[in-house]
Amino acid sequence: MSEQRAHERELAWEGTFADYLDMVIKNPRIADLAHARIYNMILDAGIEEIGENQRRYKFFENELYGLDRTLQLLVEEYFSPAARRLDIRKRILMLVGPVGGGKSTLVTLIKRGLERYSKTPNGAIYAIKGCPMHEEPLHLIPEDLRPQFKQEFGIHIEGDLCPVCRYRLDNEWGTDYHKVPVERIFFSERDRVGIGTFKPADPKSQDVAELTGSVNIQALTEYGRESDPRAYNFDGELNIANRGVMEFIEMLKAEKRFLYELNTVAGEQTIKASRFALIYCDVAVIAHTNEYEYNSYFSNKENEAMIDRIFVVKVPYNLRVSDEVRIYEKLISQSDMSDRSTDSELNLSRIHIAPYTLRVAAMFAVLTRLKPSKRAGISLMTKMKLYDGEKVGDWDQRHVKELREEYLDEGMTGVSPRFIINRISAALVRGGKNYVTPIDMLRALRDGITEYTNNEEERKKLLGFIDEVRKEFDEYAKKEVQRAFVYSYDESAKTLLDNYIDNVEAYCNHEKVKHPVTGEDIDPDEALMRSIEEQINISENQKREFREGIMRSVGSLARRGLTFTVSSDERLREAIEKKLFADLKNIVKITTSTKTPDAEQLKKVNEVVERMCREQGYTPESANDLLRYVGTLLNR
């Protein structure tokens, strides 16, 4: 806090209105209205093109995951036109979505962002010194001079002085506005400068004055009139949020008298305070509410006037498994026991989370949020994988856009990240272990279903999702253990690939190959080639086309001075992996399922455990758990 104050002192600036005017003429962005300031703040953080007509705004990076489309709509359909002073800025921005979907996080990001931005050269903001509403100094320019000012400098001036500044201009500054003191201000929610927050409370005790300010009783006895600005506290949330943003928490739960105030602010950019004329207020109001309140309010015809002043942005749950994992990692990293080390694991000071544990939870969560596709052949699991960037059979990323367009409200229901974090917590403490595995996570999810719902039909549906996730994990677990059993996997894969390429080249060129031991010329090893190709269902009739395709890839890379590797062709990589694992399956079964392994088997297990810890992110305990689990799978 002291460093922050020191930094603000370094950036502090004071001068006269004449000095400020010189700065504005050189840099008109200084006089941005609230919506334009927020929009420029977002743009200044950078934009990344991620696809056709798709952009990722870096301002939200590392905080919000899986909401790229929502954030693009928010920026491009609300803040962008609002920054250009189009009519949309006269709308309250309302974020609607399920609990735990990121609405509050989104608003907090904007608020904290404005605090930081106001300390940068591009985000510098100035106000009449001593004004409780941080008045824009350009409001000192009389109305009749503003058209000429705009014509000469291209700067639009909107708004009027607040009652306090008008009084001071008449009584302190002698109407000589050139000498009015101006200072640089820094947005701060804590200091109530440019950022306000309002939350509905007990209507019997809550007063509209919380939004618009109130009479100062002590000053009233001194100045005698409620209409004297010196006898009024301009400290309501709307007053102090002027030039910036005000968050309205659970807006639709508020009484109508509070919403009427917002209606005036949104439509006219004015506040009605007791005994005063309308007070200009330049503020971006961002509200949020849940879908139940939203549907109830918007279906009531009596609310049409207010509805007309609202711009709704739906904030659904994330639908990408990889992004869901990042959400959990972020939430866990904010706890007092986390020490994030790699993407595949989280090493906690007291708890180890084994690889794939968070992914298991994320898969379950995303499945609960998806809606069945109208297209034949696409299961929820397939849809989940496609949304996460995978290719499944003949389905690939070309189909994702069509799938998303089937339901505009997909992601508005399902299990929240908060439920998952609760279950992760339950898995962490279950059994008194200092580690948690995917199996622990699946058990914790199953145990939590009863608490989550009393509806038997929904309960069966959720249990079905857990079973689907478990099947996916079973395949992953077998591959993970089998990979660990391959001594020097990369070297083994390279050797097998080289043998395959040598034989395929000879096959395609109708040549012989050298026997690795005798050196004699022999026919290409058809058995070897087919044993690899059959792993990915290449039929006898398809083998020539597949082999010729591989050789074209080899030649293409060679012409560019590159070497064909295991990862150069996705299908061949999969085939080689499966071939290596298939050859080891029986060894894995025997070694993991033997209750009293002999010395050689024990040595093999210890080598595998060590490799899993060193290369795959396990601890000895979690690795042994996985070995035992896979042993039972392979012996079924």
Side-chain angles (χ1 to χ4, degrees), residues 72-87:
Q72 184 172 344
L73 183 150
L74 173 71
V75 174
E76 297 176 9
E77 296 190 20
Y78 181 76
F79 281 117
S80 176
R84 293 167 173 78
R85 294 189 293 108
L86 295 176
D87 196 61

Side-chain angles (χ1 to χ4, degrees), residues 218-231:
Q218 185 176 352
L220 181 61
T221 59
E222 180 180 351
Y223 300 114
R225 294 181 299 115
E226 290 187 15
S227 58
D228 190 317
R230 295 172 298 175

Side-chain angles (χ1 to χ4, degrees), residues 353-538:
I353 299 181
Y356 216 74
T357 301
L358 298 184
R359 187 169 181 84
V360 160
M363 289 168 66
F364 168 74
V366 171
L367 283 175
T368 69
R369 301 166 187 171
L370 295 176
K371 293 191 174 184
S373 174
K374 299 171 184 176
R375 305 187 65 166
I378 295 188
S379 65
L380 284 183
M381 184 62 73
T382 297
K383 191 176 186 180
M384 180 199 77
K385 292 179 179 179
L386 289 172
Y387 277 7
D388 205 36
E390 297 183 40
K391 183 179 184 299
V392 185
D394 294 330
W395 305 102
D396 56 31
Q397 295 307 295
R398 293 172 298 175
H399 301 98
V400 169
K401 183 179 179 181
E402 300 170 20
L403 292 174
R404 291 191 183 280
E405 290 174 350
E406 288 183 340
Y407 302 100
L408 297 179
D409 61 341
E410 191 169 45
M412 296 299 284
T413 59
V415 163
S416 75
R418 292 173 188 167
F419 171 81
I420 297 297
I421 288 297
N422 289 343
R423 300 322 303 162
I424 292 174
S425 300
L428 291 175
V429 300
R430 183 186 180 115
K433 300 187 300 184
N434 65 346
Y435 65 97
V436 60
T437 68
I439 294 302
D440 296 325
M441 189 70 248
L442 289 168
R443 289 184 186 128
L445 288 173
R446 186 175 292 273
D447 292 344
I449 297 303
T450 303
E451 300 174 19
Y452 181 78
T453 179
N454 292 324
N455 185 298
E456 185 62 25
E457 184 177 345
E458 184 178 13
R459 183 173 169 275
K460 288 181 179 179
K461 182 179 177 181
L462 295 176
L463 289 173
F465 289 146
I466 292 176
D467 288 339
E468 288 292 309
V469 172
R470 183 189 55 76
K471 292 174 185 175
E472 287 291 313
F473 168 67
D474 287 352
E475 293 305 310
Y476 163 84
K478 286 186 284 188
K479 178 181 279 192
E480 188 86 335
V481 168
Q482 289 169 334
R483 181 189 294 268
F485 265 85
V486 179
Y487 179 75
S488 185
Y489 169 80
D490 291 339
E491 190 61 35
S492 299
K494 183 180 183 302
T495 300
L496 185 56
L497 173 70
D498 290 344
N499 288 338
Y500 178 77
I501 294 296
D502 288 345
N503 282 276
V504 166
E505 183 178 15
Y507 170 85
C508 291
N509 295 331
H510 305 288
E511 297 173 348
K512 301 285 187 178
V513 294
K514 294 285 186 185
H515 192 281
V517 177
T518 65
E520 63 179 309
D521 291 335
I522 58 174
D523 290 330
D525 191 342
E526 184 66 21
L528 169 69
M529 292 186 286
R530 291 303 293 145
S531 70
I532 292 173
E533 293 159 355
E534 286 170 351
Q535 301 298 325
I536 50 174
N537 301 317
I538 301 295

Side-chain angles (χ1 to χ4, degrees), residues 51-226:
E52 186 179 353
N53 297 320
Q54 289 184 297
R55 283 164 288 280
R56 177 177 292 128
Y57 290 89
K58 295 184 179 180
F59 175 81
F60 305 101
E61 264 185 345
N62 303 320
E63 292 294 339
L64 292 170
Y65 304 109
L67 292 177
D68 289 337
R69 292 192 306 154
T70 298
L71 297 173
Q72 184 172 344
L73 183 150
L74 173 71
V75 174
E76 297 176 9
E77 296 190 20
Y78 181 76
F79 281 117
S80 176
R84 293 167 173 78
R85 294 189 293 108
L86 295 176
D87 196 61
I88 200 168
R89 73 191 177 103
K90 298 181 180 180
R91 307 286 184 274
I92 296 164
L93 174 61
M94 176 173 284
L95 308 177
V96 178
V99 295
K103 303 184 295 296
S104 298
T105 301
L106 175 51
V107 184
T108 299
L109 270 178
I110 292 174
K111 294 196 296 185
R112 297 294 86 80
L114 280 173
E115 290 180 337
R116 294 189 300 271
Y117 192 57
S118 68
K119 298 181 179 69
T120 67
N122 286 347
I125 181 170
Y126 300 82
I128 295 175
K129 187 174 182 179
C131 174
M133 292 183 62
H134 335 298
E135 191 75 63
E136 164 60 66
L138 289 181
H139 292 172
L140 289 162
I141 296 179
E143 287 280 352
D144 56 344
L145 295 181
R146 293 182 183 183
Q148 180 183 344
F149 187 82
K150 181 176 182 180
Q151 185 176 3
E152 187 171 349
F153 302 111
I155 299 173
H156 172 82
I157 303 174
E158 175 182 293
D160 199 4
L161 293 172
C162 73
V164 171
C165 290
R166 187 179 297 112
Y167 176 88
R168 295 178 69 194
L169 181 63
D170 293 338
N171 296 276
E172 292 182 28
W173 302 318
T175 70
D176 185 359
Y177 56 84
H178 288 92
K179 296 181 180 179
V180 172
V182 175
E183 63 179 351
R184 182 174 180 179
I185 62 172
F186 304 99
F187 283 166
S188 169
E189 184 170 24
R190 178 177 295 177
D191 295 334
R192 294 174 62 74
V193 178
I195 300 175
T197 302
F198 182 82
K199 182 178 181 180
D202 182 358
K204 295 179 181 178
S205 60
Q206 195 166 33
D207 193 274
V208 175
E210 290 188 33
L211 285 175
T212 60
S214 59
V215 173
N216 184 328
I217 302 300
Q218 185 176 352
L220 181 61
T221 59
E222 180 180 351
Y223 300 114
R225 294 181 299 115
E226 290 187 15

